[in-house]
Amino acid sequence: MPENHEIQEKVDDHMRDDTFEDLFEHAPCGYVMTRPDGTFVRVNQTLLDWIGYSRDELLSGMSLLDLFPAPGKIFHETHYAPLLRMQGFVNEIAFELVCRDGHRLPIVLNTVQHTDASGTALLNRTTIFNSSQRRQYEREILLARKKAEQALRLRDQFLSLASHELKTPLTAILGNIQLLQRRIANATSVSDRDRRTVDIINSQTQRLNQMVLTLLDTSRIESGQLSILRASVDLHALINRIIDETRATLEGRKIHVEYVSEMVVIQGDELRLEQALQNLFQNAFKYSAVDRPVYVQIRKLATYVEVAITDQGIGIPQTAIPHLFDRYYRATNVEHGGVSGMGIGLYVVKEIIELHGGSVRVESREGQGSTFTVRLPM
Ligand code: ADP
């Protein structure tokens, strides 16, 4: 290893030899001096090495414009030259130069125009930066983005196709199970164990059906085909029905409801509203311990009504809140917590509520619980 003072001596020698002329000729960028019509007056070695022309060739009447391909010539006339005339300089304009062997060199150039006292242009000084690596990098990013978008499209196409294909046999299975349930309800020869088995098959198939329907809804949202049919909806009756259904599937879970004194009727799609609220109820139970109750509060305000569903569950990290209604998004605390889900329920809830002209918001504290509030116009 050379000593420090030896290195210093070499640096000093090098600096003595490194004249301004050398700096101009071998700078890590191209230097060009041109007349106002673009003809070359001076050009440094770096640029000559990049483009493969000799100095004599360039200085015998060639113009910077001769190095531009047709689109570059047009861009020069429409942008570069007017800008230079107007403000006396241009910065970071991307061009391509046609090299002597015909290949294109992507560059970025900066030009300063020198004028006399009366403002007449005398010559232009231009620095030229080789941006081939940057362009390559940009092209790679663009390609990666295209590939990612294509993968997302394929995923969506697959999910849409799969959910469509699954729906038909599932509907047939569900219909037949329910038929079987009705038949064995009165039969005396069926054991309790077999009855329970059929009940389990029925509830699990319904769950599966629900997932497939939600997947189908996400495809509909993506293609702008989710729509609602408006009619008068009695909100209290709707919430009672949801609670009854929830109680049937979540035995022993406690729900406290706070109604308003008068009847609340809104214009909306009853089935879609039921689906959205049911989803929020299911989440409230899913993400809280079995001994924790869920609170439902209905509030009637001047022009809208609110339904707030509060749980005392695991809560949501603050960083997750802005993404909660995104498709396939699941917060980190549930990803590691072993609660299964597809991360599309809230995406569909938001769409349904917004189709009604309403909104959904969430307040939550990790470890303490969450409140999802649906606001609907009256
Ligand atoms: P899923 O429950 O199937 O994951 P959702 O779209 O219904 O999908 O919910 C998205 C995410 O929002 C959940 O994965 C979870 O991280 C969070 N989340 C929703 N509701 C609650 C809740 N009541 N308590 C805690 N986290 C919730």
Side-chain angles (χ1 to χ4, degrees), residues 279 283-284 286-287 311 314-316 324 329-331 333-334 341-347 370 372:
N279 206 301
N283 278 355
K286 194 161 90 174
Y287 297 112
D311 65 63
I314 60 170
I316 300 157
L324 224 55
Y329 183 83
R330 306 199 74 216
N333 59 337
V334 306
M342 296 192 288
I344 49 178
L346 289 183
Y347 173 70
S370 317
F372 284 82

mmCIF file with all atom_site columns, all heavy atoms in Angstrom, residues 279 283-284 286-287 311 314-316 324 329-331 333-334 341-347 370 372, ligand 1:
data_model
loop_
_atom_site.group_PDB
_atom_site.id
_atom_site.type_symbol
_atom_site.label_atom_id
_atom_site.label_alt_id
_atom_site.label_comp_id
_atom_site.label_asym_id
_atom_site.label_entity_id
_atom_site.label_seq_id
_atom_site.pdbx_PDB_ins_code
_atom_site.Cartn_x
_atom_site.Cartn_y
_atom_site.Cartn_z
_atom_site.occupancy
_atom_site.B_iso_or_equiv
_atom_site.pdbx_formal_charge
_atom_site.auth_seq_id
_atom_site.auth_comp_id
_atom_site.auth_asym_id
_atom_site.auth_atom_id
_atom_site.pdbx_PDB_model_num
ATOM   1   N N   . ASN A 1 279 ? -71.481 -6.907  6.489  1.00 0.00 ? 279 ASN A N   1
ATOM   2   C CA  . ASN A 1 279 ? -70.031 -7.023  6.421  1.00 0.00 ? 279 ASN A CA  1
ATOM   3   C C   . ASN A 1 279 ? -69.352 -6.327  7.601  1.00 0.00 ? 279 ASN A C   1
ATOM   4   O O   . ASN A 1 279 ? -68.425 -6.859  8.212  1.00 0.00 ? 279 ASN A O   1
ATOM   5   C CB  . ASN A 1 279 ? -69.577 -6.385  5.106  1.00 0.00 ? 279 ASN A CB  1
ATOM   6   C CG  . ASN A 1 279 ? -68.282 -6.987  4.644  1.00 0.00 ? 279 ASN A CG  1
ATOM   7   O OD1 . ASN A 1 279 ? -67.300 -6.926  5.355  1.00 0.00 ? 279 ASN A OD1 1
ATOM   8   N ND2 . ASN A 1 279 ? -68.293 -7.600  3.486  1.00 0.00 ? 279 ASN A ND2 1
ATOM   9   N N   . ASN A 1 283 ? -67.188 -8.125  10.564 1.00 0.00 ? 283 ASN A N   1
ATOM   10  C CA  . ASN A 1 283 ? -65.821 -7.700  10.904 1.00 0.00 ? 283 ASN A CA  1
ATOM   11  C C   . ASN A 1 283 ? -65.707 -7.369  12.386 1.00 0.00 ? 283 ASN A C   1
ATOM   12  O O   . ASN A 1 283 ? -64.737 -7.722  13.044 1.00 0.00 ? 283 ASN A O   1
ATOM   13  C CB  . ASN A 1 283 ? -65.413 -6.470  10.090 1.00 0.00 ? 283 ASN A CB  1
ATOM   14  C CG  . ASN A 1 283 ? -64.924 -6.838  8.699  1.00 0.00 ? 283 ASN A CG  1
ATOM   15  O OD1 . ASN A 1 283 ? -64.804 -8.019  8.384  1.00 0.00 ? 283 ASN A OD1 1
ATOM   16  N ND2 . ASN A 1 283 ? -64.668 -5.843  7.883  1.00 0.00 ? 283 ASN A ND2 1
ATOM   17  N N   . ALA A 1 284 ? -66.731 -6.666  12.922 1.00 0.00 ? 284 ALA A N   1
ATOM   18  C CA  . ALA A 1 284 ? -66.692 -6.272  14.336 1.00 0.00 ? 284 ALA A CA  1
ATOM   19  C C   . ALA A 1 284 ? -66.558 -7.515  15.220 1.00 0.00 ? 284 ALA A C   1
ATOM   20  O O   . ALA A 1 284 ? -65.809 -7.513  16.200 1.00 0.00 ? 284 ALA A O   1
ATOM   21  C CB  . ALA A 1 284 ? -67.954 -5.489  14.688 1.00 0.00 ? 284 ALA A CB  1
ATOM   22  N N   . LYS A 1 286 ? -65.513 -10.570 14.084 1.00 0.00 ? 286 LYS A N   1
ATOM   23  C CA  . LYS A 1 286 ? -64.332 -11.332 13.670 1.00 0.00 ? 286 LYS A CA  1
ATOM   24  C C   . LYS A 1 286 ? -63.062 -10.808 14.346 1.00 0.00 ? 286 LYS A C   1
ATOM   25  O O   . LYS A 1 286 ? -62.180 -11.571 14.714 1.00 0.00 ? 286 LYS A O   1
ATOM   26  C CB  . LYS A 1 286 ? -64.207 -11.203 12.146 1.00 0.00 ? 286 LYS A CB  1
ATOM   27  C CG  . LYS A 1 286 ? -63.265 -12.168 11.497 1.00 0.00 ? 286 LYS A CG  1
ATOM   28  C CD  . LYS A 1 286 ? -63.554 -12.293 10.006 1.00 0.00 ? 286 LYS A CD  1
ATOM   29  C CE  . LYS A 1 286 ? -62.777 -11.314 9.176  1.00 0.00 ? 286 LYS A CE  1
ATOM   30  N NZ  . LYS A 1 286 ? -62.912 -11.497 7.744  1.00 0.00 ? 286 LYS A NZ  1
ATOM   31  N N   . TYR A 1 287 ? -62.977 -9.471  14.465 1.00 0.00 ? 287 TYR A N   1
ATOM   32  C CA  . TYR A 1 287 ? -61.750 -8.883  14.992 1.00 0.00 ? 287 TYR A CA  1
ATOM   33  C C   . TYR A 1 287 ? -61.852 -8.504  16.471 1.00 0.00 ? 287 TYR A C   1
ATOM   34  O O   . TYR A 1 287 ? -61.145 -7.624  16.933 1.00 0.00 ? 287 TYR A O   1
ATOM   35  C CB  . TYR A 1 287 ? -61.325 -7.677  14.139 1.00 0.00 ? 287 TYR A CB  1
ATOM   36  C CG  . TYR A 1 287 ? -61.008 -8.088  12.720 1.00 0.00 ? 287 TYR A CG  1
ATOM   37  C CD1 . TYR A 1 287 ? -61.803 -7.710  11.646 1.00 0.00 ? 287 TYR A CD1 1
ATOM   38  C CD2 . TYR A 1 287 ? -59.897 -8.901  12.465 1.00 0.00 ? 287 TYR A CD2 1
ATOM   39  C CE1 . TYR A 1 287 ? -61.517 -8.109  10.357 1.00 0.00 ? 287 TYR A CE1 1
ATOM   40  C CE2 . TYR A 1 287 ? -59.611 -9.315  11.171 1.00 0.00 ? 287 TYR A CE2 1
ATOM   41  C CZ  . TYR A 1 287 ? -60.423 -8.918  10.116 1.00 0.00 ? 287 TYR A CZ  1
ATOM   42  O OH  . TYR A 1 287 ? -60.130 -9.334  8.840  1.00 0.00 ? 287 TYR A OH  1
ATOM   43  N N   . ASP A 1 311 ? -66.673 -1.913  18.019 1.00 0.00 ? 311 ASP A N   1
ATOM   44  C CA  . ASP A 1 311 ? -66.237 -3.138  18.706 1.00 0.00 ? 311 ASP A CA  1
ATOM   45  C C   . ASP A 1 311 ? -65.114 -2.806  19.670 1.00 0.00 ? 311 ASP A C   1
ATOM   46  O O   . ASP A 1 311 ? -64.561 -1.714  19.631 1.00 0.00 ? 311 ASP A O   1
ATOM   47  C CB  . ASP A 1 311 ? -65.793 -4.195  17.681 1.00 0.00 ? 311 ASP A CB  1
ATOM   48  C CG  . ASP A 1 311 ? -64.564 -3.772  16.897 1.00 0.00 ? 311 ASP A CG  1
ATOM   49  O OD1 . ASP A 1 311 ? -63.499 -3.597  17.506 1.00 0.00 ? 311 ASP A OD1 1
ATOM   50  O OD2 . ASP A 1 311 ? -64.674 -3.600  15.656 1.00 0.00 ? 311 ASP A OD2 1
ATOM   51  N N   . ILE A 1 314 ? -59.290 -5.829  18.281 1.00 0.00 ? 314 ILE A N   1
ATOM   52  C CA  . ILE A 1 314 ? -57.831 -5.628  18.137 1.00 0.00 ? 314 ILE A CA  1
ATOM   53  C C   . ILE A 1 314 ? -57.481 -4.238  17.629 1.00 0.00 ? 314 ILE A C   1
ATOM   54  O O   . ILE A 1 314 ? -56.352 -3.795  17.755 1.00 0.00 ? 314 ILE A O   1
ATOM   55  C CB  . ILE A 1 314 ? -57.218 -6.689  17.182 1.00 0.00 ? 314 ILE A CB  1
ATOM   56  C CG1 . ILE A 1 314 ? -57.849 -6.597  15.781 1.00 0.00 ? 314 ILE A CG1 1
ATOM   57  C CG2 . ILE A 1 314 ? -57.358 -8.082  17.745 1.00 0.00 ? 314 ILE A CG2 1
ATOM   58  C CD1 . ILE A 1 314 ? -57.139 -7.432  14.730 1.00 0.00 ? 314 ILE A CD1 1
ATOM   59  N N   . GLY A 1 315 ? -58.442 -3.523  17.050 1.00 0.00 ? 315 GLY A N   1
ATOM   60  C CA  . GLY A 1 315 ? -58.179 -2.183  16.525 1.00 0.00 ? 315 GLY A CA  1
ATOM   61  C C   . GLY A 1 315 ? -57.332 -2.227  15.262 1.00 0.00 ? 315 GLY A C   1
ATOM   62  O O   . GLY A 1 315 ? -56.954 -3.297  14.784 1.00 0.00 ? 315 GLY A O   1
ATOM   63  N N   . ILE A 1 316 ? -57.056 -1.037  14.733 1.00 0.00 ? 316 ILE A N   1
ATOM   64  C CA  . ILE A 1 316 ? -56.355 -0.951  13.446 1.00 0.00 ? 316 ILE A CA  1
ATOM   65  C C   . ILE A 1 316 ? -55.162 -0.004  13.601 1.00 0.00 ? 316 ILE A C   1
ATOM   66  O O   . ILE A 1 316 ? -55.329 1.109   14.109 1.00 0.00 ? 316 ILE A O   1
ATOM   67  C CB  . ILE A 1 316 ? -57.321 -0.403  12.362 1.00 0.00 ? 316 ILE A CB  1
ATOM   68  C CG1 . ILE A 1 316 ? -58.530 -1.347  12.239 1.00 0.00 ? 316 ILE A CG1 1
ATOM   69  C CG2 . ILE A 1 316 ? -56.629 -0.249  11.016 1.00 0.00 ? 316 ILE A CG2 1
ATOM   70  C CD1 . ILE A 1 316 ? -59.759 -0.691  11.671 1.00 0.00 ? 316 ILE A CD1 1
ATOM   71  N N   . LEU A 1 324 ? -57.397 1.053   4.212  1.00 0.00 ? 324 LEU A N   1
ATOM   72  C CA  . LEU A 1 324 ? -58.349 0.029   4.661  1.00 0.00 ? 324 LEU A CA  1
ATOM   73  C C   . LEU A 1 324 ? -59.398 -0.349  3.628  1.00 0.00 ? 324 LEU A C   1
ATOM   74  O O   . LEU A 1 324 ? -59.819 -1.494  3.548  1.00 0.00 ? 324 LEU A O   1
ATOM   75  C CB  . LEU A 1 324 ? -59.046 0.568   5.909  1.00 0.00 ? 324 LEU A CB  1
ATOM   76  C CG  . LEU A 1 324 ? -59.206 -0.415  7.037  1.00 0.00 ? 324 LEU A CG  1
ATOM   77  C CD1 . LEU A 1 324 ? -57.881 -1.006  7.441  1.00 0.00 ? 324 LEU A CD1 1
ATOM   78  C CD2 . LEU A 1 324 ? -59.860 0.236   8.219  1.00 0.00 ? 324 LEU A CD2 1
ATOM   79  N N   . TYR A 1 329 ? -56.563 -5.271  0.621  1.00 0.00 ? 329 TYR A N   1
ATOM   80  C CA  . TYR A 1 329 ? -55.710 -4.770  1.696  1.00 0.00 ? 329 TYR A CA  1
ATOM   81  C C   . TYR A 1 329 ? -56.103 -5.389  3.032  1.00 0.00 ? 329 TYR A C   1
ATOM   82  O O   . TYR A 1 329 ? -57.280 -5.423  3.380  1.00 0.00 ? 329 TYR A O   1
ATOM   83  C CB  . TYR A 1 329 ? -55.803 -3.230  1.795  1.00 0.00 ? 329 TYR A CB  1
ATOM   84  C CG  . TYR A 1 329 ? -54.868 -2.703  2.855  1.00 0.00 ? 329 TYR A CG  1
ATOM   85  C CD1 . TYR A 1 329 ? -53.527 -2.480  2.567  1.00 0.00 ? 329 TYR A CD1 1
ATOM   86  C CD2 . TYR A 1 329 ? -55.312 -2.497  4.162  1.00 0.00 ? 329 TYR A CD2 1
ATOM   87  C CE1 . TYR A 1 329 ? -52.652 -2.043  3.543  1.00 0.00 ? 329 TYR A CE1 1
ATOM   88  C CE2 . TYR A 1 329 ? -54.443 -2.064  5.151  1.00 0.00 ? 329 TYR A CE2 1
ATOM   89  C CZ  . TYR A 1 329 ? -53.116 -1.835  4.829  1.00 0.00 ? 329 TYR A CZ  1
ATOM   90  O OH  . TYR A 1 329 ? -52.256 -1.417  5.805  1.00 0.00 ? 329 TYR A OH  1
ATOM   91  N N   . ARG A 1 330 ? -55.106 -5.869  3.755  1.00 0.00 ? 330 ARG A N   1
ATOM   92  C CA  . ARG A 1 330 ? -55.333 -6.353  5.122  1.00 0.00 ? 330 ARG A CA  1
ATOM   93  C C   . ARG A 1 330 ? -54.261 -5.737  6.012  1.00 0.00 ? 330 ARG A C   1
ATOM   94  O O   . ARG A 1 330 ? -53.092 -5.682  5.631  1.00 0.00 ? 330 ARG A O   1
ATOM   95  C CB  . ARG A 1 330 ? -55.245 -7.880  5.191  1.00 0.00 ? 330 ARG A CB  1
ATOM   96  C CG  . ARG A 1 330 ? -56.170 -8.594  4.207  1.00 0.00 ? 330 ARG A CG  1
ATOM   97  C CD  . ARG A 1 330 ? -56.396 -10.038 4.601  1.00 0.00 ? 330 ARG A CD  1
ATOM   98  N NE  . ARG A 1 330 ? -57.289 -10.136 5.747  1.00 0.00 ? 330 ARG A NE  1
ATOM   99  C CZ  . ARG A 1 330 ? -57.175 -11.040 6.705  1.00 0.00 ? 330 ARG A CZ  1
ATOM   100 N NH1 . ARG A 1 330 ? -56.199 -11.907 6.681  1.00 0.00 ? 330 ARG A NH1 1
ATOM   101 N NH2 . ARG A 1 330 ? -58.029 -11.069 7.718  1.00 0.00 ? 330 ARG A NH2 1
ATOM   102 N N   . ALA A 1 331 ? -54.658 -5.255  7.193  1.00 0.00 ? 331 ALA A N   1
ATOM   103 C CA  . ALA A 1 331 ? -53.683 -4.598  8.070  1.00 0.00 ? 331 ALA A CA  1
ATOM   104 C C   . ALA A 1 331 ? -52.717 -5.647  8.621  1.00 0.00 ? 331 ALA A C   1
ATOM   105 O O   . ALA A 1 331 ? -53.051 -6.832  8.723  1.00 0.00 ? 331 ALA A O   1
ATOM   106 C CB  . ALA A 1 331 ? -54.405 -3.886  9.209  1.00 0.00 ? 331 ALA A CB  1
ATOM   107 N N   . ASN A 1 333 ? -51.693 -6.225  11.597 1.00 0.00 ? 333 ASN A N   1
ATOM   108 C CA  . ASN A 1 333 ? -52.065 -6.922  12.844 1.00 0.00 ? 333 ASN A CA  1
ATOM   109 C C   . ASN A 1 333 ? -52.996 -8.109  12.591 1.00 0.00 ? 333 ASN A C   1
ATOM   110 O O   . ASN A 1 333 ? -53.039 -9.039  13.379 1.00 0.00 ? 333 ASN A O   1
ATOM   111 C CB  . ASN A 1 333 ? -52.668 -5.954  13.880 1.00 0.00 ? 333 ASN A CB  1
ATOM   112 C CG  . ASN A 1 333 ? -53.908 -5.260  13.378 1.00 0.00 ? 333 ASN A CG  1
ATOM   113 O OD1 . ASN A 1 333 ? -54.115 -5.144  12.174 1.00 0.00 ? 333 ASN A OD1 1
ATOM   114 N ND2 . ASN A 1 333 ? -54.747 -4.805  14.284 1.00 0.00 ? 333 ASN A ND2 1
ATOM   115 N N   . VAL A 1 334 ? -53.759 -8.096  11.479 1.00 0.00 ? 334 VAL A N   1
ATOM   116 C CA  . VAL A 1 334 ? -54.595 -9.271  11.219 1.00 0.00 ? 334 VAL A CA  1
ATOM   117 C C   . VAL A 1 334 ? -53.833 -10.297 10.387 1.00 0.00 ? 334 VAL A C   1
ATOM   118 O O   . VAL A 1 334 ? -54.053 -11.490 10.513 1.00 0.00 ? 334 VAL A O   1
ATOM   119 C CB  . VAL A 1 334 ? -55.951 -8.953  10.540 1.00 0.00 ? 334 VAL A CB  1
ATOM   120 C CG1 . VAL A 1 334 ? -56.721 -7.928  11.304 1.00 0.00 ? 334 VAL A CG1 1
ATOM   121 C CG2 . VAL A 1 334 ? -55.793 -8.532  9.101  1.00 0.00 ? 334 VAL A CG2 1
ATOM   122 N N   . GLY A 1 341 ? -59.205 -13.920 5.842  1.00 0.00 ? 341 GLY A N   1
ATOM   123 C CA  . GLY A 1 341 ? -60.008 -12.947 5.108  1.00 0.00 ? 341 GLY A CA  1
ATOM   124 C C   . GLY A 1 341 ? -59.354 -12.648 3.776  1.00 0.00 ? 341 GLY A C   1
ATOM   125 O O   . GLY A 1 341 ? -58.188 -12.997 3.564  1.00 0.00 ? 341 GLY A O   1
ATOM   126 N N   . MET A 1 342 ? -60.110 -12.022 2.874  1.00 0.00 ? 342 MET A N   1
ATOM   127 C CA  . MET A 1 342 ? -59.571 -11.738 1.542  1.00 0.00 ? 342 MET A CA  1
ATOM   128 C C   . MET A 1 342 ? -59.250 -10.257 1.349  1.00 0.00 ? 342 MET A C   1
ATOM   129 O O   . MET A 1 342 ? -58.712 -9.873  0.319  1.00 0.00 ? 342 MET A O   1
ATOM   130 C CB  . MET A 1 342 ? -60.576 -12.175 0.470  1.00 0.00 ? 342 MET A CB  1
ATOM   131 C CG  . MET A 1 342 ? -60.818 -13.681 0.454  1.00 0.00 ? 342 MET A CG  1
ATOM   132 S SD  . MET A 1 342 ? -61.715 -14.203 -1.014 1.00 0.00 ? 342 MET A SD  1
ATOM   133 C CE  . MET A 1 342 ? -63.342 -13.570 -0.687 1.00 0.00 ? 342 MET A CE  1
ATOM   134 N N   . GLY A 1 343 ? -59.660 -9.427  2.306  1.00 0.00 ? 343 GLY A N   1
ATOM   135 C CA  . GLY A 1 343 ? -59.357 -7.997  2.182  1.00 0.00 ? 343 GLY A CA  1
ATOM   136 C C   . GLY A 1 343 ? -60.179 -7.294  1.111  1.00 0.00 ? 343 GLY A C   1
ATOM   137 O O   . GLY A 1 343 ? -59.760 -6.270  0.568  1.00 0.00 ? 343 GLY A O   1
ATOM   138 N N   . ILE A 1 344 ? -61.376 -7.825  0.814  1.00 0.00 ? 344 ILE A N   1
ATOM   139 C CA  . ILE A 1 344 ? -62.189 -7.138  -0.201 1.00 0.00 ? 344 ILE A CA  1
ATOM   140 C C   . ILE A 1 344 ? -63.532 -6.660  0.343  1.00 0.00 ? 344 ILE A C   1
ATOM   141 O O   . ILE A 1 344 ? -64.253 -5.930  -0.317 1.00 0.00 ? 344 ILE A O   1
ATOM   142 C CB  . ILE A 1 344 ? -62.429 -8.008  -1.465 1.00 0.00 ? 344 ILE A CB  1
ATOM   143 C CG1 . ILE A 1 344 ? -62.917 -9.395  -1.083 1.00 0.00 ? 344 ILE A CG1 1
ATOM   144 C CG2 . ILE A 1 344 ? -61.214 -8.051  -2.332 1.00 0.00 ? 344 ILE A CG2 1
ATOM   145 C CD1 . ILE A 1 344 ? -63.205 -10.283 -2.286 1.00 0.00 ? 344 ILE A CD1 1
ATOM   146 N N   . GLY A 1 345 ? -63.857 -7.085  1.584  1.00 0.00 ? 345 GLY A N   1
ATOM   147 C CA  . GLY A 1 345 ? -65.160 -6.722  2.153  1.00 0.00 ? 345 GLY A CA  1
ATOM   148 C C   . GLY A 1 345 ? -65.365 -5.217  2.212  1.00 0.00 ? 345 GLY A C   1
ATOM   149 O O   . GLY A 1 345 ? -66.360 -4.684  1.701  1.00 0.00 ? 345 GLY A O   1
ATOM   150 N N   . LEU A 1 346 ? -64.398 -4.506  2.800  1.00 0.00 ? 346 LEU A N   1
ATOM   151 C CA  . LEU A 1 346 ? -64.557 -3.058  2.980  1.00 0.00 ? 346 LEU A CA  1
ATOM   152 C C   . LEU A 1 346 ? -64.541 -2.318  1.640  1.00 0.00 ? 346 LEU A C   1
ATOM   153 O O   . LEU A 1 346 ? -65.185 -1.278  1.487  1.00 0.00 ? 346 LEU A O   1
ATOM   154 C CB  . LEU A 1 346 ? -63.453 -2.501  3.883  1.00 0.00 ? 346 LEU A CB  1
ATOM   155 C CG  . LEU A 1 346 ? -63.547 -2.878  5.372  1.00 0.00 ? 346 LEU A CG  1
ATOM   156 C CD1 . LEU A 1 346 ? -62.432 -2.205  6.155  1.00 0.00 ? 346 LEU A CD1 1
ATOM   157 C CD2 . LEU A 1 346 ? -64.899 -2.489  5.948  1.00 0.00 ? 346 LEU A CD2 1
ATOM   158 N N   . TYR A 1 347 ? -63.818 -2.883  0.691  1.00 0.00 ? 347 TYR A N   1
ATOM   159 C CA  . TYR A 1 347 ? -63.770 -2.293  -0.661 1.00 0.00 ? 347 TYR A CA  1
ATOM   160 C C   . TYR A 1 347 ? -65.189 -2.272  -1.251 1.00 0.00 ? 347 TYR A C   1
ATOM   161 O O   . TYR A 1 347 ? -65.625 -1.265  -1.812 1.00 0.00 ? 347 TYR A O   1
ATOM   162 C CB  . TYR A 1 347 ? -62.825 -3.153  -1.507 1.00 0.00 ? 347 TYR A CB  1
ATOM   163 C CG  . TYR A 1 347 ? -62.752 -2.820  -2.970 1.00 0.00 ? 347 TYR A CG  1
ATOM   164 C CD1 . TYR A 1 347 ? -62.162 -1.646  -3.399 1.00 0.00 ? 347 TYR A CD1 1
ATOM   165 C CD2 . TYR A 1 347 ? -63.256 -3.710  -3.929 1.00 0.00 ? 347 TYR A CD2 1
ATOM   166 C CE1 . TYR A 1 347 ? -62.076 -1.355  -4.751 1.00 0.00 ? 347 TYR A CE1 1
ATOM   167 C CE2 . TYR A 1 347 ? -63.172 -3.418  -5.277 1.00 0.00 ? 347 TYR A CE2 1
ATOM   168 C CZ  . TYR A 1 347 ? -62.583 -2.245  -5.682 1.00 0.00 ? 347 TYR A CZ  1
ATOM   169 O OH  . TYR A 1 347 ? -62.500 -1.959  -7.012 1.00 0.00 ? 347 TYR A OH  1
ATOM   170 N N   . SER A 1 370 ? -62.569 -0.496  17.374 1.00 0.00 ? 370 SER A N   1
ATOM   171 C CA  . SER A 1 370 ? -62.813 0.340   16.191 1.00 0.00 ? 370 SER A CA  1
ATOM   172 C C   . SER A 1 370 ? -64.278 0.722   16.091 1.00 0.00 ? 370 SER A C   1
ATOM   173 O O   . SER A 1 370 ? -65.147 -0.006  16.568 1.00 0.00 ? 370 SER A O   1
ATOM   174 C CB  . SER A 1 370 ? -62.472 -0.430  14.908 1.00 0.00 ? 370 SER A CB  1
ATOM   175 O OG  . SER A 1 370 ? -61.284 -1.142  15.047 1.00 0.00 ? 370 SER A OG  1
ATOM   176 N N   . PHE A 1 372 ? -66.811 1.847   12.912 1.00 0.00 ? 372 PHE A N   1
ATOM   177 C CA  . PHE A 1 372 ? -67.069 2.133   11.500 1.00 0.00 ? 372 PHE A CA  1
ATOM   178 C C   . PHE A 1 372 ? -68.405 2.854   11.436 1.00 0.00 ? 372 PHE A C   1
ATOM   179 O O   . PHE A 1 372 ? -69.406 2.357   11.962 1.00 0.00 ? 372 PHE A O   1
ATOM   180 C CB  . PHE A 1 372 ? -67.122 0.835   10.683 1.00 0.00 ? 372 PHE A CB  1
ATOM   181 C CG  . PHE A 1 372 ? -65.764 0.256   10.419 1.00 0.00 ? 372 PHE A CG  1
ATOM   182 C CD1 . PHE A 1 372 ? -65.122 -0.517  11.370 1.00 0.00 ? 372 PHE A CD1 1
ATOM   183 C CD2 . PHE A 1 372 ? -65.108 0.500   9.212  1.00 0.00 ? 372 PHE A CD2 1
ATOM   184 C CE1 . PHE A 1 372 ? -63.851 -1.042  11.131 1.00 0.00 ? 372 PHE A CE1 1
ATOM   185 C CE2 . PHE A 1 372 ? -63.844 -0.018  8.966  1.00 0.00 ? 372 PHE A CE2 1
ATOM   186 C CZ  . PHE A 1 372 ? -63.215 -0.791  9.926  1.00 0.00 ? 372 PHE A CZ  1
HETATM 187 P P1  . ADP B 2 .   ? -61.011 -9.033  5.529  1.00 0.00 ? 1   ADP B P1  1
HETATM 188 O O1  . ADP B 2 .   ? -61.704 -8.873  6.847  1.00 0.00 ? 1   ADP B O1  1
HETATM 189 O O2  . ADP B 2 .   ? -61.536 -10.155 4.714  1.00 0.00 ? 1   ADP B O2  1
HETATM 190 O O3  . ADP B 2 .   ? -59.533 -9.061  5.666  1.00 0.00 ? 1   ADP B O3  1
HETATM 191 P P2  . ADP B 2 .   ? -62.099 -6.405  4.864  1.00 0.00 ? 1   ADP B P2  1
HETATM 192 O O4  . ADP B 2 .   ? -62.032 -5.682  3.580  1.00 0.00 ? 1   ADP B O4  1
HETATM 193 O O5  . ADP B 2 .   ? -63.431 -6.641  5.459  1.00 0.00 ? 1   ADP B O5  1
HETATM 194 O O6  . ADP B 2 .   ? -61.307 -7.753  4.633  1.00 0.00 ? 1   ADP B O6  1
HETATM 195 O O7  . ADP B 2 .   ? -61.230 -5.602  5.891  1.00 0.00 ? 1   ADP B O7  1
HETATM 196 C C1  . ADP B 2 .   ? -59.960 -5.119  5.495  1.00 0.00 ? 1   ADP B C1  1
HETATM 197 C C2  . ADP B 2 .   ? -59.034 -5.043  6.684  1.00 0.00 ? 1   ADP B C2  1
HETATM 198 O O8  . ADP B 2 .   ? -59.506 -4.025  7.588  1.00 0.00 ? 1   ADP B O8  1
HETATM 199 C C3  . ADP B 2 .   ? -58.984 -6.290  7.526  1.00 0.00 ? 1   ADP B C3  1
HETATM 200 O O9  . ADP B 2 .   ? -58.091 -7.243  7.005  1.00 0.00 ? 1   ADP B O9  1
HETATM 201 C C4  . ADP B 2 .   ? -58.517 -5.739  8.845  1.00 0.00 ? 1   ADP B C4  1
HETATM 202 O O10 . ADP B 2 .   ? -57.135 -5.503  8.810  1.00 0.00 ? 1   ADP B O10 1
HETATM 203 C C5  . ADP B 2 .   ? -59.202 -4.382  8.917  1.00 0.00 ? 1   ADP B C5  1
HETATM 204 N N1  . ADP B 2 .   ? -60.463 -4.385  9.673  1.00 0.00 ? 1   ADP B N1  1
HETATM 205 C C6  . ADP B 2 .   ? -61.706 -4.311  9.168  1.00 0.00 ? 1   ADP B C6  1
HETATM 206 N N2  . ADP B 2 .   ? -62.628 -4.271  10.157 1.00 0.00 ? 1   ADP B N2  1
HETATM 207 C C7  . ADP B 2 .   ? -61.935 -4.318  11.308 1.00 0.00 ? 1   ADP B C7  1
HETATM 208 C C8  . ADP B 2 .   ? -62.322 -4.293  12.697 1.00 0.00 ? 1   ADP B C8  1
HETATM 209 N N3  . ADP B 2 .   ? -63.581 -4.207  13.076 1.00 0.00 ? 1   ADP B N3  1
HETATM 210 N N4  . ADP B 2 .   ? -61.322 -4.340  13.604 1.00 0.00 ? 1   ADP B N4  1
HETATM 211 C C9  . ADP B 2 .   ? -60.022 -4.406  13.229 1.00 0.00 ? 1   ADP B C9  1
HETATM 212 N N5  . ADP B 2 .   ? -59.607 -4.435  11.948 1.00 0.00 ? 1   ADP B N5  1
HETATM 213 C C10 . ADP B 2 .   ? -60.551 -4.386  11.009 1.00 0.00 ? 1   ADP B C10 1
#
